[in-house]
Amino acid sequence: MKIHEYQARGIFASAGIPVPRGKAVSTVADAVAAAEEYARPVMVKAQVHVGGRGKAGGVQYAENVEAARVWAQKILGMDIKGLKVNTVLVTEAADIVTEAYVGIVIDRASKAPVIMVSAAGGVDIEEVAAKTPEKICKLAVDPQMGLRAYQARDLAARLYRDINLVRQAADIIMKLYDVYWKVDASLVEINPLITTPDGKVVAIDAKINIDDNGLFRHKEIEAMRDLDAEDPSEHEAREGDLSFVSLSGNIGCMVNGAGLAMATMDLVKHYGGDPANFLDIGGSSNPQKVLTAMRIILRNPNVRAILINIFGGITRCDDVANGIVMAYEELRPDIPIVVRLTGTNEEEARKILKKVNLESAATLDDVVKMAIKLAESDAANVGRVA
Ligand code: GDP
Ligand code: MN
C-alpha cells in the first residue's frame, strides 16, 4: 500500500527525522491560509501516488501568499501521470545547498533490507541509477542484528565530508531504518535529503510503501488509505475478497487458486501471449465473486479476450458456471471468452454454460492457445466463442 508524502512526513517527524512544517489541504482557501500562517516562501506540492511530481509541474515554489494561491489553483485538479490531484501539501520552502538520496528496500537477492545512499540525489536519481550506478552506495542490513551506528555513520560519510553533516545524516539513517522496520515497509525513501546554508540536514520529500501482508498490524496506517488515489479495480477486488494484480497484457485471466493462476499465466507467456492481470477468485465458488471478477476484468480497455480456468475441488464447477452465466447476462461482454472447467460437478457446469453458448475446452493447452489467438485477431469483436 502506498501513502502520500504528507502522511509519510508525519511518520518521519514522529520518529524524530527533521522535516519542514507543512499542511495538507484540498482547497485553495486552505492553501492560502497555510501560506499566511507560515509567513514565508512555501512549496505547493501535489499529493499523488507517483514519483516525478516535480518534473511534471506538481511541485512549485511560491515566494508569497499570492503565488501560493496561484499555484494551489493550478495544481489542485491537475492530472499527473493519469492521477488527479485532490490534495496539496503546503510546506515551508527550504534553502537547498545539496540534494542527496537515502532509501531502504527489501532486497530478495540478499534476503535483507538494503540501504542505498547517493550524494547525487534529487529528481534525476533514476538516471544516476541507470547511467552511473557507482554513485549509489548500498549496504545490506542483517535483519537480526539491525542497523549498527557505525554502519549508519559509514553510509553518511559517503554523502558528506563535514563531520557535522555526517553526524546528522547518520542519525537520520538510523531513524529511517527504525521507521522501515516498525511499519513493515517494503520501501522508505528520502529524495532529496538536503543540506541547508546553516548546516542542517533535512528531509524535504518522504515516501513509504507498506507491505500489504503486514498491514493488519497497522490499523493507523490502514486508515491513511486514500481510495481516490488507488486503482479502482484493485480496491474492488480487495472488497470482493479476490486477489488481483493489474498487468500490461491483453488476456484477462480468471482462475481459482493462486498456484493455478500463476501456472496459467506462465502458459500464456509460454505460448507467446500476454496476461492483462493476475486474478485468483479463491477456493469458494460463490457466483457473486465470478461476477465481480468479470466486472473488474472488463473494466480494462486493453483486454481482448478472457480466459477462465477453473479446477474444481472444493470449488464446484457448476457454481462457477452459474457465476459465468450471471456475469454474461448482466455485463454482456463484447469480447470472446474461453473457458476450461474441470473437476467437481464438471458435467453440470457444461450444461449450464450451454445456456450462453459457451463450451468448456478439453485441456489447459487448448484454452490458452485459443485465448491468445482470439486476443491477437480482430475476432476480439465477434462476441462469444467456446
Ligand atoms: P518529486 O519530484 O515527486 O520527487 O518531488 P520532490 O518533493 O522531491 O521535489 C522535487 C524537487 O523540487 C526537489 O528535488 C527540489 O529540487 C525541489 N524542491 C522541493 N522542495 C523544495 C524546497 O523546499 N525548496 C527548494 N528550493 N526546492 C525544493
Ligand atoms: Mn522526490
Side-chain angles (χ1 to χ4, degrees):
M1 175 186 148
K2 293 181 178 179
I3 60 174
H4 287 299
E5 176 196 3
Y6 77 89
Q7 296 164 325
R9 274 189 183 212
I11 294 174
F12 284 2
S14 315
I17 296 172
V19 298
R21 288 195 295 172
K23 272 207 175 94
V25 298
S26 48
T27 65
V28 175
D30 287 347
V32 167
E36 271 167 356
E37 180 186 332
Y38 297 142
R40 45 161 301 161
V42 294
M43 301 298 297
V44 181
K45 306 182 74 178
Q47 299 297 289
V48 280
H49 290 164
V50 66
R53 295 164 304 162
K55 284 193 170 167
V59 175
Q60 299 290 347
Y61 175 83
E63 179 76 44
N64 51 39
V65 174
E66 204 34 54
R69 179 198 310 278
V70 171
W71 283 122
Q73 251 154 8
K74 280 226 169 91
I75 297 174
L76 282 167
M78 190 186 249
D79 185 281
I80 297 186
K81 299 182 183 172
L83 298 170
K84 187 164 167 257
V85 181
N86 297 315
T87 305
V88 291
L89 173 67
V90 177
T91 176
E92 288 184 309
D95 291 330
I96 301 178
V97 180
T98 63
E99 298 195 358
Y101 172 94
V102 181
I104 308 175
V105 289
I106 188 75
D107 176 44
R108 291 179 197 284
S110 48
K111 298 179 183 167
V114 166
I115 306 184
M116 295 173 292
V117 303
S118 176
V123 294
D124 291 322
I125 191 69
E126 276 84 11
E127 208 179 312
V128 173
K131 293 193 181 146
T132 47
E134 69 279 2
K135 288 191 180 167
I136 298 176
C137 169
K138 296 182 183 177
L139 173 79
V141 180
D142 180 330
Q144 262 177 329
M145 296 280 277
L147 178 65
R148 321 303 294 183
Y150 76 89
Q151 295 176 308
R153 217 154 37 229
D154 187 34
L155 288 166
R158 311 289 182 117
L159 299 178
Y160 310 116
R161 287 172 174 279
D162 178 348
I163 185 65
N164 172 41
L165 299 177
V166 171
R167 283 205 186 100
Q168 294 177 63
D171 183 53
I172 290 171
I173 292 169
M174 290 296 285
K175 287 170 173 164
L176 189 66
Y177 185 80
D178 256 6
V179 168
Y180 171 87
W181 193 260
K182 282 197 182 124
V183 303
D184 290 317
S186 55
L187 172 144
V188 293
E189 194 177 84
I190 303 174
N191 185 36
L193 180 70
I194 62 154
T195 56
T196 62
D198 57 348
K200 296 277 188 307
V201 182
V202 183
I204 64 163
D205 191 8
K207 184 168 174 183
I208 301 180
N209 293 350
I210 311 288
D211 183 337
D212 287 345
N213 296 310
L215 258 184
F216 73 99
R217 303 203 282 202
H218 305 285
K219 296 283 175 265
E220 72 297 348
I221 293 175
E222 176 68 53
M224 292 179 183
R225 192 184 286 285
D226 176 0
L227 291 180
D228 292 339
E230 293 196 341
D231 178 343
S233 297
E234 294 193 3
H235 172 60
E236 188 175 353
R238 197 168 47 245
E239 297 281 295
D241 206 18
L242 305 164
S243 310
F244 173 84
V245 180
S246 322
L247 300 167
S248 57
N250 59 8
I251 299 176
C253 300
M254 187 192 308
V255 188
N256 69 320
L260 188 59
M262 295 297 281
T264 307
M265 287 163 54
D266 280 352
L267 208 59
V268 169
K269 283 278 190 190
H270 175 75
Y271 284 120
D274 207 359
N277 62 275
F278 167 96
L279 197 160
D280 167 16
I281 60 168
S284 90
S285 28
N286 178 352
Q288 194 62 42
K289 278 195 172 181
V290 178
L291 178 66
T292 309
M294 185 82 83
R295 189 179 298 120
I296 290 170
I297 291 175
L298 287 171
R299 192 182 290 134
N300 177 351
N302 298 332
V303 171
R304 309 286 290 159
I306 298 178
L307 161 53
I308 302 178
N309 182 24
I310 304 297
F311 183 82
I314 297 169
T315 304
R316 288 172 35 182
C317 291
D318 54 332
D319 281 343
V320 175
N322 276 324
I324 295 173
V325 170
M326 202 163 101
Y328 195 87
E329 284 172 348
E330 195 165 324
L331 305 169
R332 295 268 151 210
D334 55 1
I335 49 173
I337 300 177
V338 293
V339 188
R340 179 236 185 190
L341 281 159
T342 188
T344 311
N345 294 358
E346 176 180 330
E347 282 316 310
E348 289 86 330
R350 286 177 193 276
K351 279 183 205 142
I352 294 165
L353 288 180
K354 280 254 159 58
K355 287 192 217 162
V356 289
N357 274 351
L358 282 168
E359 270 175 48
S360 176
T363 69
L364 180 52
D365 266 20
D366 287 346
V367 80
V368 167
K369 286 182 189 161
M370 224 187 292
I372 294 170
K373 202 164 140 222
L374 289 165
E376 280 169 358
S377 72
D378 271 335
N381 302 315
V382 299
R384 66 198 116 142
V385 177

